[in-house]
Amino acid sequence: MHDGKRLKNGREIPIVHRVIKVHERQETEEVEVLTKGDNNYGDDRLLYAQGQLWLQRHHIMGRAVGFLPYVGWVTIIMTEKPIIKYILIGALGLLVITSKD
Amino acid sequence: MHSFGFRANAVLTFGITILALICAMASISDNFNSPRPSSEIQIKYPIDSGEIKFSFSMQVSLTMNITADLQSLFTWNTKQVFVFVAAEYETPKNALNQVSLWDAIIPAKEHAKFWVQTANKYRFVDQGSNLRGKDFNLTLHWHVMPKTGKMFANKLVIPGYRLPEEYR
């Protein structure tokens, strides 16, 4: 545990933060977890829903296992400047249409 | 078949494939590293001097001397190492509790052999009031973050700590 985990908390964007507290129940598989961004001063309770103090398993989407630098920029650019998305799709479409095979 | 579009597409695809291959090779090279990290953690005793205190909210403040040599974790493909110390203990309700007490980012091999004396950075507090007289382990965890590829994580468990019965 304690790795970077992606969480969803009722908002759109998953966040990759680190687990700093774990409380795992005897007998059952239930677990309560507190997270914090490495570069943040305080824990994530400000980011959780109103009144929520802990994350449960169903809030956790996955775990970070590695790094591919700069790959995320493709998604970010396409989200922030949608015109690039259209240009890309347009160019691909053009390629398909003009192929002689 | 020889249009600019097709050639650009071929070059781009080839380029990205090679890049992915190099990234995979860089990540695989990390497997050849056999790290031998070591660490010691002392909690400053005796408790009479007030080094371990419970506050009214059943929260523990303590001071730790953390010595560690994590230099062998660094490879050419290492961006940084994230290290943290967690207290682990069991309670009647919970099979496992892990509370992070301190963490740090080690940006380079030169900084990986260190001695630090610190109060706990994060609150040592339980979900109940089970901490009095509690036996616990201190575990040093490290996450080796690569420049590209797979991240490695491991830990060193140091058992044998106990909190005092009374609080002041």
Side-chain angles (χ1 to χ4, degrees):
Chain A
M1 313 216 75
H2 281 69
D3 319 329
K5 291 218 157 72
R6 297 179 81 210
L7 4 136
K8 133 185 98 89
N9 42 20
R11 305 185 193 183
E12 291 172 14
I13 313 171
I15 301 173
V16 185
H17 274 183
R18 187 174 307 278
V19 172
I20 61 167
K21 281 193 166 66
V22 171
H23 295 283
E24 184 181 317
R25 300 270 173 269
Q26 305 266 14
E27 312 292 327
T28 76
E29 290 256 326
E30 285 168 44
V31 139
E32 287 188 318
V33 138
L34 176 64
T35 58
K36 175 183 169 290
D38 282 349
N39 209 26
N40 294 347
Y41 181 71
D43 58 42
D44 284 344
R45 285 191 169 136
L46 290 173
L47 294 174
Y48 296 168
Q50 263 275 22
Q52 181 184 5
L53 292 175
W54 302 97
L55 294 179
Q56 277 95 35
R57 261 187 219 281
H58 61 92
H59 292 118
I60 298 173
M61 294 167 69
R63 178 196 292 226
V65 297
F67 296 91
L68 292 176
Y70 304 113
V71 171
W73 277 108
V74 179
T75 316
I76 292 177
I77 291 175
M78 294 215 280
T79 315
E80 294 199 358
K81 299 228 168 2
I83 184 122
I84 301 213
K85 206 173 15 179
Y86 302 134
I87 291 178
L88 219 64
I89 296 184
L92 282 171
L94 220 63
L95 217 65
V96 169
I97 293 172
T98 58
S99 98
K100 295 228 169 55
D101 284 284
Chain B
M1 274 308 296
H2 301 295
S3 71
F4 173 76
F6 270 104
R7 286 177 172 168
N9 181 41
V11 169
L12 219 72
T13 313
F14 185 65
I16 291 180
T17 310
I18 295 294
L19 215 60
L21 216 70
I22 295 178
C23 164
M25 280 168 31
S27 190
I28 289 172
S29 81
D30 276 345
N31 290 343
F32 293 112
N33 187 37
S34 41
R36 297 163 311 277
S38 64
S39 171
E40 248 183 47
I41 306 179
Q42 287 154 352
I43 299 191
K44 298 199 57 207
Y45 287 125
I47 54 179
D48 301 329
S49 66
E51 296 287 5
I52 296 190
K53 311 186 280 226
F54 283 99
S55 71
F56 73 95
S57 57
M58 288 308 297
Q59 188 189 150
V60 179
S61 316
L62 45 78
T63 309
M64 297 179 285
N65 271 350
I66 306 172
T67 341
D69 181 357
L70 301 177
Q71 288 188 315
S72 57
L73 293 173
F74 279 81
T75 70
W76 67 281
N77 187 31
T78 303
K79 181 167 70 176
Q80 66 191 19
V81 170
F82 187 86
V83 61
F84 64 95
V85 171
E88 294 177 355
Y89 59 94
E90 189 179 341
T91 57
K93 196 173 173 209
N94 292 335
L96 173 67
N97 298 280
Q98 292 169 310
V99 175
S100 188
L101 297 179
W102 171 86
D103 55 33
I105 293 178
I106 305 175
K109 195 170 179 169
E110 302 79 66
H111 301 124
K113 190 166 184 187
F114 61 91
W115 173 88
V116 74
Q117 180 170 318
T118 171
N120 48 312
K121 221 169 154 182
Y122 305 112
R123 295 191 300 154
F124 190 174
V125 64
D126 181 48
Q127 276 187 325
S129 46
N130 294 297
L131 289 180
R132 269 195 271 218
K134 185 48 88 177
D135 289 313
F136 63 101
N137 295 340
L138 283 180
T139 310
L140 186 84
H141 295 248
W142 55 85
H143 289 173
V144 181
M145 297 179 192
K147 295 190 172 120
T148 24
K150 184 160 171 286
M151 180 168 69
F152 295 88
N154 213 334
K155 62 187 181 180
L156 181 67
V157 181
I158 311 175
Y161 300 90
R162 168 181 283 219
L163 290 169
E165 298 282 351
E166 292 305 314
Y167 65 98
R168 56 191 75 238

